[in-house]
Amino acid sequence: QVQLVESGGGLVQAGGSLRLSCAASGSIFSFNAMGWHRQAPGQQRELVAAITTGGSTNYADSVKGRFTISRDNAKNTVYLQMNSLKPEDTAVYYCYALRGLTYYWGQGTQVTVSS
């Protein structure tokens, strides 16, 4: 059973930074890709950033240049460095892992950006 445990959320002022971590229960080499989605109140869940086993990355237009996704294979962990945060980044952030056609999800971590 795959477990993804997120950490690093919290409250920050606009312009500040946070780093989210997602620790997997096993080797992340078994996943085709990992990444982060977010969901704000009353809105649909949206992709924020993703990284493949080969290290290719993809970002939502709204976070390009501000967020950076990375992975530490030795620690089975994926990170999301979030800089220049804006109030509209406020949401619950969910880590995910894709293996074949199956998605695994973390429990979510709240990020709140105050203006």
Side-chain angles (χ1 to χ4, degrees):
Q1 183 70 15
V2 174
Q3 287 188 322
L4 303 174
V5 180
E6 300 119 329
S7 60
L11 174 64
V12 64
Q13 288 188 330
S17 298
L18 285 173
R19 188 177 80 156
L20 304 182
S21 300
C22 174
S25 57
S27 172
I28 61 176
F29 280 115
S30 68
F31 302 122
N32 305 97
M34 296 183 71
W36 299 86
H37 279 64
R38 67 186 180 187
Q39 187 168 20
Q43 297 188 21
Q44 290 187 331
R45 190 175 294 194
E46 62 174 354
L47 175 68
V48 177
I51 186 167
T52 68
T53 303
S56 298
T57 58
N58 184 41
Y59 297 93
D61 288 342
S62 59
V63 306
K64 284 181 180 177
R66 300 188 297 121
F67 291 10
T68 302
I69 190 170
S70 62
R71 56 193 292 157
D72 185 332
N73 296 328
K75 295 182 178 180
N76 295 320
T77 300
V78 172
Y79 303 98
L80 185 67
Q81 178 66 43
M82 305 185 294
N83 299 328
S84 302
L85 282 161
K86 304 175 181 180
E88 51 263 44
D89 294 317
T90 295
V92 178
Y93 284 69
Y94 297 91
C95 174
Y96 79 90
L98 174 63
R99 178 185 291 156
L101 299 178
T102 301
Y103 282 87
Y104 300 91
W105 295 93
Q107 79 284 358
T109 185
Q110 177 70 45
V111 172
T112 303
V113 185
S114 63
S115 57

